[in-house]
Amino acid sequence: MKSKKVVSSLLVAAMATSLLAGCGGKDAPQETASQADTPAADTKTDTAPAESTEKTDDTGNTADAENTDTPTYEEQTLKVAAFEGGYGADMWSEVVKAFEASHPGVTVELTIDKKLEDVISPAMKAGDYPDVVHLATGREAALTETLTKENALLPLTDVLDMTVPGEDVKVKDKIIPGFLDTLATNPYGDGVTYYAPMFYSPCGLFYNAGLLKEKGWDVPTTWEEMWALGDTAAEEGIALFTYPTTGYFDAFTYAALASAGGSDFFNSCMTYEDGIWESADATKVFDLVGQLAKYTEGTTVANANNDNFTKNQQLILDNKAIFCPNGTWLPGEMADAPRADGFEWGFMAIPAVNAGGAGCSFCWFEQMWIPAAAQNQDMAKEFVAYMYSDEAAAIFAKSTAIQPITGVSESLEGDNKMFYSIYDNGATAVMGGFASTAPVEGVNMLDTLCGTVNSIVSGDKTVAEWQAAVEEVSDKLRAAME
């Protein structure tokens, strides 16, 4: 297929992560928090394809007289490009070797880099595309969004009906319910999946459970209890709240919006409905953050940047602040940091905005996709399906990269079991993100919605000014929706 010209686009979608994982460079907070600045060298596998002298059938598979359980395939090279986030590169090398072992005849050419866009974009512009790409939305380079805008991705809906390689279950039946019903997998909102969900990370409030036990303080379940705890802690010189950077208010705000008005209201916010940000439910969220600003530790704003964000995270390890919004990559990121005696990780959902409601936890996840110009599309789909195998999931889990597979929390231990059981313990899962629009010069919803928080904490802007600015941006993006 002829390569398409790359143009800029604006599509803000929930997942990284990771985050970034990081669950996953800023603009996906998980990536901001977990990736180093220097790119890693590309990594390529050197496993030779298995030789076979058997005749192939119509599918390219061969019958092996000695072992019919492991089919061999027509010799081919599959190009896989993967972002190296906070989970590291080793897991990708290992999962590629396992895929090759289960698919004799297939050699995977693996490219891994922390700045993957810089590595693969030049070749793509020349018409040389990877077959499979692991790269989340929400990154500064916006490569995934650009290709989405250009209709340059292959639909993956048929992959969901494939049987997971080596197993007897379909891909769609292994994925946790809800992950396939979001703009973060179906970017055009038409029910067609283009992004395969990868590596999910529940987000919420992290705290030192040891501190609360020592002080005899209960974990708050409502915002009224939060404010009461903040007043009590202030008497002992401990702030209620801090945050790494304002980028972490996306997951926080998404959860609060869903809690305030429900899923339909949340989707209306994400699609820029006229007047939605001026509504009573939206006002609850703006006012909540305004109140939380009064309980935020004094040095937070000064360190809420990509160079010093760990200083804010350190505040909860030093018992200088109680709660910090983040994702499940945080404990690993701070593993070598000093901490107060008796420190013990705690994790909770964002408390319900309305009395009697359920707490909410936004879930970041990263994405994998296939370019429409990929040369080996059938094997690319096979590779994507393999990502949901128990074998692949176990390899990823060793690096704490957790696949969105039903029942995965049952196989986890320690802190990870606590983190990934949040939805089993009553929290409502929130997923999705802002709908795609045509570019609008000088307009960025996340910059306005989240980036303004520093000014609210410092007192440079009022909550009313902030709310009005978000509605203005929403109006401009609504006109540019496609």
Side-chain angles (χ1 to χ4, degrees):
M1 181 179 292
K2 186 176 180 180
S3 62
K4 296 179 181 289
K5 182 179 179 181
V6 176
V7 299
S8 62
S9 69
L10 174 65
L11 174 130
V12 184
M15 315 316 160
T17 214
S18 176
L19 310 98
L20 28 148
C23 159
K26 173 82 189 129
D27 297 321
Q30 62 267 41
E31 292 168 358
T32 298
S34 64
Q35 66 186 45
D37 292 332
T38 56
D42 293 354
T43 303
K44 295 186 178 181
T45 61
D46 55 6
T47 304
E51 296 183 357
S52 173
T53 58
E54 301 292 340
K55 294 182 179 180
T56 60
D57 60 20
D58 292 339
T59 65
N61 295 347
T62 63
D64 188 330
E66 296 183 358
N67 183 4
T68 58
D69 292 333
T70 305
T72 55
Y73 297 80
E74 179 181 355
E75 291 191 5
Q76 57 189 288
T77 298
L78 185 72
K79 296 180 180 180
V80 175
F83 167 70
E84 182 188 348
Y87 304 125
D90 291 346
M91 67 178 189
W92 284 109
S93 298
E94 186 175 351
V95 83
V96 159
K97 290 179 181 178
F99 178 80
E100 289 176 327
S102 63
H103 292 73
V106 179
T107 297
V108 177
E109 182 181 289
L110 177 63
T111 299
I112 310 173
D113 205 288
K114 294 176 180 177
K115 297 183 179 179
L116 188 65
E117 302 93 333
D118 294 346
V119 175
I120 65 176
S121 290
M124 290 171 63
K125 290 178 181 178
D128 183 10
Y129 285 75
D131 296 306
V132 182
V133 180
H134 166 256
L135 186 69
T137 56
R139 288 174 55 75
E140 184 176 359
L143 177 60
T144 300
E145 290 90 335
T146 296
L147 293 179
T148 303
K149 171 67 177 175
E150 290 292 299
N151 295 310
L153 301 182
L154 194 70
L156 301 181
T157 303
D158 57 341
V159 175
L160 304 179
D161 287 318
M162 291 174 60
T163 298
V164 176
E167 301 179 10
D168 59 359
V169 60
K170 290 185 177 180
V171 171
K172 65 182 180 183
D173 294 329
K174 290 203 71 175
I175 296 176
I176 295 173
F179 275 78
L180 299 174
D181 302 318
T182 166
L183 289 172
T185 52
N186 308 333
Y188 304 112
D190 57 0
V192 180
T193 299
Y194 286 84
Y195 307 148
M198 297 279 290
F199 312 151
Y200 80 107
S201 176
C203 297
L205 298 177
F206 284 79
Y207 60 96
N208 177 6
L211 172 64
L212 270 62
K213 291 178 182 178
E214 174 189 338
K215 299 292 186 180
W217 297 338
D218 293 330
V219 177
T221 59
T222 67
W223 284 103
E224 288 71 20
E225 293 175 358
M226 269 284 201
W227 310 139
L229 175 59
D231 293 337
T232 299
E235 295 176 358
E236 300 197 28
I238 303 173
L240 178 68
F241 188 72
T242 188
Y243 53 90
T245 70
T246 57
Y248 284 74
F249 271 89
D250 46 12
F252 181 99
T253 305
Y254 294 153
L257 288 169
S259 178
S263 59
D264 288 344
F265 169 74
F266 174 74
N267 289 334
S268 294
C269 292
M270 297 300 103
T271 53
Y272 321 107
E273 182 179 302
D274 189 16
I276 197 66
W277 294 100
E278 298 172 320
S279 66
D281 287 329
T283 299
K284 293 177 186 177
V285 176
F286 285 109
D287 287 345
L288 186 154
V289 176
Q291 181 70 3
L292 192 57
K294 301 175 183 178
Y295 288 90
T296 299
E297 201 277 339
T299 65
T300 295
V301 172
N303 292 317
N305 53 65
N306 291 342
D307 294 326
N308 297 314
F309 68 92
T310 56
K311 292 182 179 180
N312 289 339
Q313 294 174 171
Q314 184 68 39
L315 292 172
I316 63 171
L317 277 70
D318 293 339
N319 290 339
K320 294 180 179 179
I322 300 179
F323 294 105
C324 179
N326 222 303
T328 53
W329 57 90
L330 176 63
E333 189 172 75
M334 303 299 289
D336 297 327
R339 60 203 63 211
D341 292 341
F343 182 89
E344 177 185 343
W345 285 111
F347 182 57
M348 61 179 281
I350 306 300
V353 174
N354 300 316
C360 288
S361 168
F362 188 82
C363 182
W364 286 105
F365 59 87
E366 302 182 31
Q367 295 117 325
M368 176 174 280
W369 39 272
I370 300 174
Q375 294 298 306
N376 297 306
Q377 294 182 2
D378 289 342
M379 189 53 62
K381 292 179 180 180
E382 180 83 359
F383 186 85
V384 173
Y386 177 76
M387 295 298 96
Y388 303 97
S389 67
D390 292 343
E391 182 177 53
I395 293 171
F396 289 135
K398 290 190 296 184
S399 297
T400 68
I402 309 301
Q403 283 290 71
I405 293 176
T406 301
V408 67
S409 64
E410 298 174 3
S411 64
L412 302 177
E413 299 178 350
D415 288 342
N416 272 336
K417 188 172 185 64
M418 173 182 65
F419 301 151
Y420 285 90
S421 296
I422 190 169
Y423 304 122
D424 300 329
N425 296 330
T428 298
V430 181
M431 289 179 279
F434 286 103
S436 175
T437 75
V440 179
E441 186 176 357
V443 174
N444 185 307
M445 175 57 89
L446 284 183
D447 281 353
T448 304
L449 180 62
C450 302
T452 306
V453 171
N454 275 343
S455 297
I456 300 301
V457 176
S458 67
D460 292 336
K461 286 189 177 182
T462 67
V463 170
E465 290 171 336
W466 177 30
Q467 185 172 8
V470 172
E471 176 64 24
E472 182 180 355
V473 167
S474 182
D475 289 341
K476 293 178 179 178
L477 294 176
R478 182 175 61 259
M481 276 189 66
E482 298 183 346

